[in-house]
Every structure is written in structure tokens, then in C-alpha cells.
């Protein structure tokens, strides 16, 4: 293509881009708006827990925050931390240090302690340090400074499930180390049962105060979406129907704002690509389909190898027999495939467990029937498009060859 036509394409694309999105970035999940509609109560409660003691010169209680994903826990905490920095600190005699660590990213004891060291500009050598030394350096620093340190551990369940709660235990006891910068912890989790994982001493100390975020209703989601659409989209580029549909779909999924915003963004991208003037319900419906497909893709490509193999066998048998298949048929074919690709097959028992896991994960449907002369048999069928499965499984190069030979066979 000549450069002239490329220029033309670029200008046409940017013209189109400007038709729907005024500021696309504000629909991304890491964008935090200045206003958080329908979270006044939570903002107020968290601020009260933290501000009151700070204004009196006392250490705030530790707080434990939980609620479903996308209910504004991270956004609310960041909002309150910003207010501490901008509005509260100028009234206090001593500094308040606020740090949020995303434990989905920093998911080990080492990384968490290292983040705190970095936050206080304590240099650590490239060769690394022991956990004890990283911790001691924090204590030393907190003895050198005077004030308060509010440490939020976001998605805390990720790190505790992976690395245990030893460091958490130490952090809940850190104020007894004779430090002059008093520490308060804010633990945030999407996992409503997370507390059961914790040592009772950590549990009681971490939840001196508790804050529960309830799911947004469809009406609340609609308000949040309209507020965001005002910043992100041009006034005449979306229909009420589209906003309502995004809100009602997300309301059914625990009131997850992230989901609603993603839907609106993907729907907007579809409208833009097609050169349609407005985002409509049809765009949202199609966005939903695309997002579901992406989700399935993610699930399939992250399965362990033998689970992929079992799934492949089920898809293959369904294509060959054009009917549901039984556990026995799946196992027989699975063993054959293992031989063909030089893999040691797992036991029938283990494959039966894998079938249950695939069923629970929503990829297949396994119905147990107790009739018939063979006693109890499971009838297995796919819950998703066979071609989707083949496409995702092909990503695994160990399966590429076998998928190719299957498809040349069935032609
Ligand atoms: N009340 C609200 N008003 C506006 N945006 C919100 C609100 N609650 C959440 N969001 C937005 O939704 C997304 C997910 O919120 P987040 O705080 O990360 O949820 P959680 O931490 O509970 O999973 C973020 O982009 C956030 O800015
Ligand atoms: Mg969060």
C-alpha cells in the first residue's frame, strides 16, 4: 500500500475513533474517577475509622474490607488515601504515609517487604536480602521516623494462599517493636471466606474494624455508567438502551462495575470499527459474546496438559459419533492418544476426576445415569463450540500435530 493510502487510512481511523470515544482510557479498570457514586457510605465509614484517631494523634485500628469483585473496594481505599494526603495531612503535626500494595502482583513475603523498603527509599542490594533483614530494615526506618504508616494489602488472599500468613503475623505485631511511626493495616479481599484461612491471632488483629461492600444494584450501576460515559464518550454516541443493558448484565454478576465498563468499552470499539454512529444494545450483545469467548479461551489454554488432552478427546469423539460419549469411551481414546504422542496415560480414576473438573469449570456437561446394563455411566458432551476448543488447544504445540491429524481425518 502506498504511503498516501496509509495516511488516508490513519486519518479515517482517527476520525472514526473520535466519533465514539472522547477519552477511551477512562473506561479502563485502573482509572479512578474523582467521584464514586453510591459509595458515600463506605467512603465515610473508612474515612471515619482512619481520620478520627489520626486527628487525635492515635494509631487507627486495622481494617478488614471484603466484598465481591468490582464493588469499588480498591477505588474507595485509594480515594480515602488521597483525601488523607491532600486534606488531612496539612492539619496534622506528623506525616501519614499511605501505601497500597497489590498482592496479586506482589504475591510473596519477599516482594511485599521489598515494596515497603522501596516505598521508604531504603536501598536493597541486587543480590537480595533475607526476609528477616528486609523486615528489620523496615523496623529501623519506622524508629527513625515519627508519624503514621497506613499499609493496605489489596487482594491479600492471593498472597496468603500462596505464601502463608507469617509476614502478616509479624506486621500485625510490628507496633510492639518500639517504633515511632505507628502502623495500621488495611486488608482487602474479594474472597468472602478468606478469613477462614487465617491464623486466629492474625484474624482478630486484622479485623479490629470490618467493612463489607455489597454488590451494586442495576440502578446504581446505571448511574455509575452514565457518569463514566460522560467523561469517556461523546454525548450523542450511545443509547440509553446500551447503558441499561450493560448495567443489567453486570448486576446479574454480583454488581461488578469492572464488567459493566468492559462491556461498554468493547461495545464502543465494535461500533467504532463498523463506523456506526452510536453504541446500541446490539453492540453490547455482541461485546458480551466476544468477552465470553475470550474467557473460555483463557480457561482452556491455562488447563494442565492432561486436562487439555481429555477435553480434546471429548471434542473429537463428539465430532466422530455425533452424540454424547461415555467415560469409558473417553478413557479408551485418551489412552490411545497418549500412546500416539508418547505420553504416559493417567489412571482411569484420575481421568474421571479431570472430567468432573471440566464439568465444574463449565466446559463440558457430564450427566450421570444409573440405568442400563452397565450400571452407572456418565454421558459427556461439550458445553461450548467444538471449533473454539480446537482453536484454543492448538495454542499448545504438543497438541498441534494431533489436532491436525484429527481434522484431516474428519474431512
Ligand atoms: N462507585 C463507583 N463509581 C465509579 N466507578 C467505580 C465505582 N466503583 C467502582 N468503580 C470502578 O470500577 C472498577 C472496579 O472497581 P474496584 O475498586 O477496582 O473494585 P474492587 O476492588 O472491589 O474489585 C474501577 O475501574 C473503579 O474505578
Ligand atoms: Mg480491587
Amino acid at each position: 500500500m502506498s504511503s498516501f493510502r496509509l495516511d488516508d487510512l490513519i486519518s479515517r481511523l482517527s476520525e472514526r475513533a473520535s466519533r465514539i470515544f472522547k477519552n477511551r482510557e477512562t473506561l479502563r479498570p485502573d482509572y479512578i474517577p474523582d467521584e464514586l457514586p453510591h459509595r458515600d457510605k463506605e467512603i465515610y465509614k473508612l474515612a471515619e475509622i482512619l481520620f478520627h484517631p489520626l486527628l487525635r494523634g492515635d494509631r487507627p485500628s486495622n481494617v478488614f474490607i471484603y466484598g465481591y469483585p468490582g464493588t469499588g473496594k480498591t477505588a474507595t481505599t485509594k480515594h480515602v488515601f488521597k483525601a488523607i494526603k491532600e486534606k488531612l495531612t496539612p492539619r496534622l503535626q506528623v506525616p501519614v504515609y499511605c501505601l497500597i500494595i497489590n498482592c496479586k502482583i506482589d504475591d510473596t513475603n519477599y516482594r511485599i517487604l521489598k515494596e515497603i523498603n522501596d516505598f521508604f527509599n531504603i536501598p536493597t542490594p541486587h543480590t537480595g536480602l533475607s526476609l528477616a533483614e528486609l523486615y528489620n530494615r523496615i523496623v529501623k526506618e519506622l524508629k527513625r521516623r515519627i508519624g503514621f504508616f497506613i499499609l493496605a494489602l489489596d487482594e491479600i488472599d492471593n498472597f496468603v494462599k500462596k505464601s502463608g500468613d507469617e509476614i502478616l503475623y509479624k506486621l500485625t505485631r510490628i507496633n510492639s517493636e518500639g517504633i515511632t511511626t505507628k502502623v495500621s493495616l488495611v486488608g482487602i479481599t474479594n474472597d468472602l471466606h478468606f478469613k477462614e484461612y487465617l491464623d486466629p491471632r492474625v484474624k482478630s488483629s486484622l479485623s479490629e474494624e470490618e467493612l463489607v461492600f455489597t454488590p451494586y444494584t442495576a440502578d446504581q450501576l446505571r448511574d455509575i455508567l452514565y457518569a463514566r460515559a460522560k467523561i469517556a464518550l461523546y454525548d450523542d454516541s450511545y443509547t440509553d438502551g446500551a447503558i441499561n443493558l450493560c448495567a443489567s448484565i453486570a448486576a446479574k454478576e454480583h454488581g461488578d462495575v469492572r464488567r459493566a465498563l468492559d462491556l461498554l468499552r468493547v461495545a464502543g470499539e465494535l461500533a467504532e470499527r463498523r463506523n456506526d454512529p452510536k453504541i446500541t444494545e446490539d453492540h453490547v450483545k455482541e461485546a458480551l459474546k466476544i468477552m465470553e469467548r475470550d474467557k473460555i479461551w483463557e480457561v482452556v489454554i491455562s488447563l494442565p496438559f492432561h486436562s487439555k488432552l481429555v477435553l480434546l478427546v471429548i471434542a473429537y469423539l463428539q465430532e466422530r459419533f455425533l452424540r454424547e460419549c461415555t467415560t469409558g469411551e473417553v478413557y479408551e481414546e485418551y489412552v490411545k492418544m497418549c500412546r500416539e504422542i508418547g505420553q504416559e496415560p493417567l489412571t482411569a480414576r484420575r481421568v474421571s476426576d479431570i472430567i468432573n473438573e471440566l464439568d465444574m469449570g463449565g466446559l463440558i456437561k457430564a450427566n450421570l445415569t444409573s440405568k442400563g446394563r452397565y450400571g452407572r455411566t456418565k454421558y459427556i458432551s461439550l458445553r461450548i463450540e467444538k471449533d473454539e476448543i480446537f482453536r484454543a488447544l492448538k495454542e499448545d504445540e504438543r497438541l498441534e500435530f494431533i489436532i491436525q491429524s484429527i481434522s484431516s481425518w474428519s474431512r
Side-chain angles (χ1 to χ4, degrees):
M1 200 187 275
S2 72
S3 68
F4 169 71
R5 285 179 57 203
L6 279 178
D7 285 348
D8 193 34
L9 178 68
I10 290 167
S11 75
R12 259 196 310 129
L13 285 177
S14 40
E15 195 183 309
R16 255 192 249 167
S18 68
R19 198 184 266 197
I20 303 275
F21 294 103
K22 194 157 59 178
N23 187 351
R24 189 189 312 246
E25 293 310 306
T26 58
L27 286 177
R28 300 222 173 259
D30 47 3
Y31 174 79
I32 307 233
D34 289 336
E35 301 285 323
L36 298 172
H38 302 294
R39 277 302 173 237
D40 288 349
K41 206 172 76 218
E42 289 76 7
I43 291 173
Y44 192 84
K45 176 119 193 264
L46 182 60
E48 206 174 25
I49 293 169
L50 300 176
F51 291 7
H52 264 172
L54 288 173
L55 283 164
R56 289 195 308 261
D58 292 336
R59 179 191 84 88
S61 299
N62 294 335
V63 194
F64 190 63
I65 298 178
Y66 56 102
Y68 281 114
T71 52
K73 300 180 298 298
T74 304
T76 297
T77 307
K78 286 189 175 163
H79 187 88
V80 170
F81 277 15
K82 193 166 161 217
I84 291 180
K85 202 165 153 208
E86 290 174 1
K87 304 209 169 85
L88 195 74
T89 317
R91 295 164 165 265
L92 303 176
Q93 314 291 332
V94 292
V96 182
Y97 306 99
C98 293
L99 171 65
I100 298 193
I101 297 180
N102 182 345
C103 303
K104 212 164 183 173
I105 300 167
D106 295 307
D107 58 358
T108 61
N109 289 316
Y110 188 89
R111 293 186 67 148
I112 286 176
L113 294 179
K114 172 81 166 60
E115 277 292 307
I116 302 173
N117 274 268
D118 289 351
F119 175 74
F120 285 114
N121 297 316
I122 311 168
T124 40
H126 283 305
T127 46
L129 289 171
S130 68
L131 288 180
E133 181 55 25
L134 278 174
Y135 176 80
N136 289 339
R137 288 179 175 212
I138 295 169
V139 170
K140 202 166 135 204
E141 187 67 23
L142 296 178
K143 282 181 178 165
R144 206 176 64 77
R145 298 176 190 244
I146 296 176
F148 297 95
F149 176 35
I150 305 178
L151 172 63
L153 297 171
D154 198 359
E155 315 238 1
I156 188 172
D157 47 305
N158 267 288
F159 131 79
V160 171
K161 282 176 199 164
K162 191 171 166 202
S163 307
D165 57 8
E166 189 195 324
I167 285 297
L168 202 54
Y169 177 71
K170 292 210 81 149
L171 288 173
T172 56
R173 295 289 178 275
I174 197 168
N175 289 308
S176 56
E177 304 262 16
I179 51 181
T180 43
T181 306
K182 293 293 178 193
V183 179
S184 306
L185 298 173
V186 179
I188 308 172
T189 179
N190 294 329
D191 180 346
L192 308 187
H193 302 290
F194 168 66
K195 277 207 294 184
E196 292 158 21
Y197 285 84
L198 291 174
D199 176 302
R201 292 169 303 178
V202 177
K203 184 158 72 181
S204 65
S205 152
L206 194 59
S207 47
E208 288 170 342
E209 296 277 354
E210 282 192 1
L211 207 52
V212 183
F213 280 57
T214 49
Y216 293 112
T217 63
D219 285 345
Q220 292 175 334
L221 286 166
R222 188 155 17 103
D223 289 345
I224 294 170
L225 280 178
Y226 271 117
R228 194 67 67 91
K230 255 203 182 116
I231 316 173
L233 307 172
Y234 284 108
D235 285 349
D236 54 357
S237 73
Y238 54 95
T239 60
D240 292 337
I243 299 275
N244 282 333
L245 189 56
C246 291
S248 69
I249 292 170
K252 286 189 199 115
E253 297 177 22
H254 315 302
D256 184 344
V257 189
R258 198 176 290 116
R259 179 90 168 138
L261 292 169
D262 282 347
L263 267 172
L264 187 61
R265 180 176 48 79
V266 175
E269 278 160 6
L270 279 171
E272 180 184 276
R273 220 173 301 143
R274 302 208 178 123
N275 219 2
D276 293 337
K278 277 180 200 284
I279 308 174
T280 64
E281 282 172 65
D282 285 340
H283 295 121
V284 176
K285 283 179 199 156
E286 207 172 323
L288 183 64
K289 267 194 214 145
I290 294 174
M291 285 163 62
E292 298 277 298
R293 211 184 301 151
D294 289 351
K295 209 159 70 186
I296 289 167
W297 180 276
E298 289 287 318
V299 172
V300 172
I301 62 173
S302 54
L303 287 173
F305 182 67
H306 282 269
S307 306
K308 284 183 185 167
L309 209 50
V310 172
L311 185 62
L312 177 62
V313 166
I314 295 168
Y316 163 66
L317 288 176
Q318 185 154 321
E319 172 153 309
R320 201 170 90 189
F321 297 151
L322 297 173
R323 61 160 171 81
E324 296 175 322
C325 49
T326 64
T327 320
E329 287 165 343
V330 171
Y331 190 64
E332 196 178 307
E333 190 60 39
Y334 158 82
V335 172
K336 253 197 250 167
M337 265 194 203
C338 283
R339 297 240 165 81
E340 245 172 90
I341 57 173
Q343 288 274 338
E344 188 61 31
L346 302 173
T347 61
R349 177 67 201 264
R350 184 64 199 108
V351 168
S352 164
D353 289 343
I354 289 179
I355 290 173
N356 287 338
E357 285 157 20
L358 295 174
D359 186 11
M360 303 247 283
L363 295 173
I364 62 167
K365 197 163 60 194
N367 285 329
L368 193 67
T369 49
S370 48
K371 288 185 223 118
R373 47 193 177 113
Y374 303 108
R376 281 146 58 95
T377 307
K378 254 186 193 159
Y379 284 96
I380 302 159
S381 57
L382 294 177
R383 249 185 232 265
I384 40 183
E385 277 294 309
K386 179 176 83 259
D387 292 339
E388 286 296 323
I389 292 184
F390 285 141
R391 241 168 24 91
L393 288 176
K394 254 192 219 159
E395 291 282 298
D396 192 323
E397 52 191 32
R398 293 167 295 183
L399 291 173
E400 221 181 327
F401 161 73
I402 204 146
I403 293 173
Q404 251 159 23
S405 64
I406 289 173
S407 38
S408 62
W409 237 30
S410 60
R411 238 178 258 135

